[in-house]
Amino acid sequence: MWLFPRQVALQRSLLGIFVFSTLSAFIHDRYIKSIMIEKKPSFLIIVADDLGFSDTSPYGGEIDTPNLQRLAEEGVRMTGFHTAASCSPTRAMLLSGTDSHIAGLGVMAEKIKKAPDLFKDKPGYEGYLNYRVAALGEILQDAGYFTLMSGKWHLGLKEELGPHARGFTKVLSTLPGAGNHFNHEPQLYDMKEKPTAIFKGDGIWMKDGSFINGSTDLPKDFYSSNTFTDYFLDFLKERTTEERAQPFFGYLPFTAPHWPLQAPQELIKKYHGRYGDGPVALRDRRLQSLIEKGLVPPDVEPAPLHMLNTTSWEELSEEEQKKSSRAMEVYAAMVDLIDLNIGRVLSYLEGTGELDDTFVVFMSDNGAEGQLLEALPILAGYTVDDIVKKYYDNSLGNIGNFNSFVWYGPQWAGAATAPARGAKSHSTEGGIHCPCIIRYPPALKQTGLVTSAFTTVMDVVPTILDLAGLKHPGPVFRGRDVVPVRGKSWRPILEHPEDENIQIYNDTDIVGWEQLGIAAVRVGDWKALFLPPPKGPGRWELYDLSNDIGEVHDLAASHPEKLKEMLLHYETYFQETGMFDSYAMYHEALNKRKAEARKIADANLYTPYISFLRRGLAFVQERVFGLVKGSWGDQ
């Protein structure tokens, strides 16, 4: 059969397309297989917000957390893990591998806003994760990782400071430090003033690299822990073929169990009646459990219960006790729900065959939250207590619902941090000594063990880079100068978790803490700390943590030379991190601001009375002048 030239050309074109597509598919398949053969380990970091040391079952708690228990049994529990004393500084250290004063959170952004001129143009005090550091997401993204994040950011409120800009390809994030767990913000509906990050609204939610409307773009059945996990799993399930061939770095920072304490009622009911005997009884039970599990020494001397001048349990009325224990029941339900969602993630990764190739870290960002929030200012002239009374229903039967707003206070927090002293925002162990569980079958020679080695949140970056076979990219990264990490790899613990003599930090390494004068420094087992009033005595204290983890016996007076040595170490830390002594200047600025506010308030208060008095005086003057004129005439 004869073919016309046009038909011949068409056949040749079709044959070419067939050969090209077949060859492309073959090359693509070989490429994917080669990536899978060389595939590096994946990484999953899970953060609980304000979780206490002994809240979960692996750490002696009564709250139902079987998935964390599984991680502990298949991994290693750390009892020497330390963070910063508060939220965003810890997160900056976690994602940078260096000190918060270097990474941009020398002071929390919420504090900087109160005295912005004091911190202006000071490196390390930007109030966000600065660009002097190479963020972990950026490093792994450049190394070929599929990066995803769902949850709380708290490291910058602008698009160029958000998680997508710092290395996370897929993102669902709330940018500030706290918010309603049911996404219910009634205090915003009839107020024009921009609130602080505690009561958040639109303009702070991000999906990938864009802002979304928190009121309309999030699920109607929103609950923080559930929704963050939903998005996280969707990001994993929706990966392309190429993305599935990549290792992943997943970051899942929950906002729970941070206040406001809220959870589904059916889960709260599970814990009804568990805490009716109060925080002291809870602390005693947990201490006993910690001892039985070998997590603290049997002869441990616990610090006195964290009180902050609150009324003891025995002196509370029956109604007050019921409300207080109900708040603790809600808190327990929130922790329970975190665990359920962790189980969802583990189950998915197990189903895809990725779990055992994933290095998993679970941690809290600081000690349990024990502050009293009633007087905390939110809007001009409004405190938290004002907002709560106006917009929320904190009756006993409603506590935990979307329209309630409660916190559990210092005594319950003290039960969770025991045997340590203090709680969140303290440089005592109660503020910085946190639970941490790691799981990674390829490296762990033994599982279900406990290590007491001193470690820090700065170690996560160097550990991940070590396991991934990557070097820190400094001194120049993505066209900018970046600082090196200060943390250290945990590989020795992974390979020999049974060896209690392993040290990640040696006896000469200096590790420090500081946030607006709340300070500490540790070298080996010695620790010096400073707590300004009202948190502490306003002088340096000294403790030997090898036999006093409760920081009960201050050795400053009996060991003056050791204290002097520790203060020299603190000076080294001070100089290396580039911090400045902001405490006195900050409080001077606050006092000046308060004085100005009082002056304005007084002026506003008396202005109507002064105006009325002036009008009255003018009237009297006019009448008197009229009388005089009538008697004496124009003269």
Side-chain angles (χ1 to χ4, degrees):
M1 184 176 66
W2 295 93
L3 296 175
F4 293 103
R6 185 174 295 178
Q7 290 176 308
V8 173
L10 180 61
Q11 279 191 341
R12 287 176 177 173
S13 297
L14 291 173
L15 180 62
I17 292 171
F18 172 75
V19 171
F20 177 77
S21 61
T22 303
L23 184 61
S24 296
F26 174 75
I27 293 172
H28 178 266
D29 186 58
R30 289 292 300 272
Y31 170 70
I32 295 299
K33 287 181 178 177
S34 68
I35 292 178
M36 294 184 73
I37 291 171
E38 300 172 4
K39 190 173 180 180
K40 297 178 182 294
S42 292
F43 300 103
L44 172 60
I45 299 175
I46 305 170
V47 181
D49 199 351
D50 293 356
L51 183 76
F53 183 77
S54 64
D55 282 330
T56 63
S57 59
Y59 283 88
E62 72 295 329
I63 301 174
D64 193 18
T65 51
N67 294 295
L68 289 176
Q69 187 66 43
R70 174 193 173 182
L71 281 181
E73 291 171 358
E74 297 176 355
V76 174
R77 278 168 291 176
M78 293 185 168
T79 59
F81 178 72
H82 288 72
T83 64
S86 50
C87 181
S88 52
T90 289
R91 292 160 199 266
M93 296 161 74
L94 170 66
L95 295 180
S96 71
T98 192
D99 189 83
S100 61
H101 297 85
I102 297 171
L105 273 298
V107 170
M108 294 178 70
E110 293 86 346
K111 303 288 187 182
I112 292 175
K113 288 179 181 177
K114 296 179 181 180
D117 292 341
L118 179 60
F119 302 103
K120 186 178 179 181
D121 299 327
K122 286 189 168 59
Y125 291 84
E126 294 87 354
Y128 57 82
L129 185 67
N130 63 31
Y131 280 87
R132 296 169 65 199
V133 300
L136 181 57
E138 297 174 309
I139 298 171
L140 294 179
Q141 191 178 58
D142 285 6
Y145 275 72
F146 174 73
T147 56
L148 65 152
M149 180 262 185
S150 184
K152 173 177 169 176
W153 181 239
H154 206 189
L155 293 173
L157 294 174
K158 297 180 180 179
E159 181 179 323
E160 64 271 22
L161 306 175
H164 191 269
R166 300 313 301 268
F168 290 99
T169 303
K170 302 297 295 182
V171 173
L172 186 281
S173 181
T174 174
L175 301 184
N180 190 293
H181 293 279
F182 290 100
N183 197 31
H184 175 69
E185 312 288 353
Q187 70 283 345
L188 299 177
Y189 301 155
D190 61 355
M191 288 190 177
K192 296 179 181 179
E193 183 189 354
K194 186 177 180 180
T196 67
I198 292 172
F199 289 99
K200 62 187 192 306
D202 295 334
I204 49 76
W205 285 94
M206 292 197 77
K207 176 76 162 56
D208 298 339
S210 303
F211 283 101
I212 61 173
N213 189 310
S215 301
T216 59
D217 296 336
L218 292 171
K220 297 302 180 185
D221 61 347
F222 180 98
Y223 180 80
S224 62
S225 300
N226 294 339
T227 303
F228 291 141
T229 307
D230 289 343
Y231 275 84
F232 190 85
L233 290 174
D234 285 345
F235 293 153
L236 289 172
K237 292 173 182 176
E238 293 167 2
R239 286 175 290 175
T240 65
T241 303
E242 290 85 352
E243 288 169 342
R244 288 180 183 275
Q246 297 173 264
F248 71 83
F249 166 42
Y251 180 40
L252 184 56
F254 292 104
T255 52
H258 194 295
W259 50 259
L261 303 183
Q262 298 165 322
Q265 282 294 332
E266 62 270 18
L267 201 52
I268 297 172
K269 290 176 183 176
K270 178 178 176 179
Y271 292 94
H272 279 187
R274 295 270 192 103
Y275 304 104
D277 51 359
V280 173
L282 177 63
R283 183 190 73 150
D284 292 345
R285 287 194 297 272
R286 289 197 179 173
L287 272 174
Q288 185 58 39
S289 182
L290 285 167
I291 292 170
E292 291 171 357
K293 290 178 180 290
L295 301 175
V296 299
D299 60 347
V300 63
E301 184 177 356
L305 186 68
H306 192 56
M307 295 289 291
L308 291 186
N309 298 317
T310 52
T311 304
S312 67
W313 181 260
E314 292 74 19
E315 296 178 70
L316 294 177
S317 68
E318 183 179 354
E319 180 67 13
E320 289 171 330
Q321 287 184 351
K322 286 180 179 179
K323 281 193 170 184
S324 180
S325 60
R326 178 59 48 82
M328 183 61 209
E329 291 165 4
V330 178
Y331 179 92
M334 296 172 77
V335 176
D336 189 313
L337 199 48
I338 287 175
D339 185 84
L340 286 170
N341 280 291
I342 289 173
R344 293 172 62 200
V345 175
L346 298 181
S347 178
Y348 171 80
L349 293 177
E350 201 163 30
T352 61
E354 296 173 281
L355 180 59
D356 286 347
D357 294 322
T358 301
F359 176 67
V360 180
V361 179
F362 170 81
M363 55 172 277
S364 178
D365 61 344
N366 44 244
E369 170 65 276
Q371 292 192 72
L372 298 170
L373 307 177
E374 291 91 336
L376 192 67
I378 297 300
L379 302 163
Y382 292 89
T383 64
V384 170
D385 200 40
D386 295 329
I387 298 292
V388 168
K389 286 177 179 177
K390 184 173 182 179
Y391 295 100
Y392 292 90
D393 174 10
N394 285 346
S395 60
L396 179 63
N398 198 61
I399 289 176
N401 286 337
F402 73 98
N403 60 339
S404 69
F405 196 108
V406 299
W407 49 95
Y408 70 179
Q411 295 185 45
W412 293 110
T417 61
R421 169 184 164 199
K424 177 183 177 179
S425 82
H426 290 64
S427 54
T428 52
E429 291 295 286
I432 60 177
H433 180 215
C434 295
C436 181
I437 303 170
I438 54 176
R439 181 190 188 275
Y440 187 49
L444 276 172
K445 302 293 176 60
Q446 287 183 259
T447 59
L449 299 179
V450 176
T451 177
S452 61
F454 172 75
T455 57
T456 81
V457 69
M458 295 185 293
D459 304 337
V460 175
V461 168
T463 301
I464 285 178
L465 296 183
D466 185 2
L467 295 177
L470 299 171
K471 292 183 179 180
H472 189 268
V476 178
F477 175 67
R478 291 190 174 185
R480 66 183 192 266
D481 294 335
V482 295
V483 298
V485 298
R486 288 174 67 90
K488 301 192 177 190
S489 173
W490 292 340
R491 184 179 285 275
I493 291 176
L494 289 167
E495 294 179 348
H496 299 285
E498 79 290 346
D499 187 353
E500 270 298 309
N501 294 317
I502 282 180
Q503 288 183 309
I504 301 300
Y505 290 81
N506 61 43
D507 291 335
T508 60
D509 287 325
I510 300 170
V511 178
W513 295 263
E514 193 274 341
Q515 284 276 306
L516 287 174
I518 300 168
V521 62
R522 176 166 174 164
V523 178
D525 287 324
W526 285 96
K527 178 182 173 185
L529 66 89
F530 184 92
L531 290 177
K535 283 184 166 66
R539 59 173 175 77
W540 282 96
E541 305 169 50
L542 179 67
Y543 297 96
D544 179 2
L545 297 182
S546 66
N547 54 33
D548 185 17
I549 60 175
E551 293 169 322
V552 176
H553 302 287
D554 182 7
L555 303 176
S558 60
H559 291 66
E561 290 303 313
K562 174 57 74 171
L563 179 60
K564 183 178 179 181
E565 176 190 323
M566 294 300 291
L567 295 185
L568 290 174
H569 291 318
Y570 184 77
E571 180 63 25
T572 299
Y573 167 69
F574 188 99
Q575 297 297 332
E576 288 181 352
T577 56
M579 73 171 76
F580 77 105
D581 192 0
S582 59
Y583 173 71
M585 291 183 283
Y586 179 76
H587 285 279
E588 182 180 339
L590 287 190
N591 290 334
K592 183 178 179 182
R593 182 178 174 181
K594 289 176 182 177
E596 291 173 351
R598 281 196 298 268
K599 187 176 180 181
I600 293 171
D602 290 344
N604 292 336
L605 177 64
Y606 293 113
T607 294
Y609 299 102
I610 292 171
S611 178
F612 176 77
L613 182 61
R614 284 175 176 169
R615 288 196 301 270
L617 288 171
F619 173 77
V620 171
Q621 184 180 20
E622 185 179 345
R623 292 298 300 271
V624 169
F625 181 73
L627 290 171
V628 171
K629 185 177 180 181
S631 302
W632 294 90
D634 290 338
Q635 295 179 353

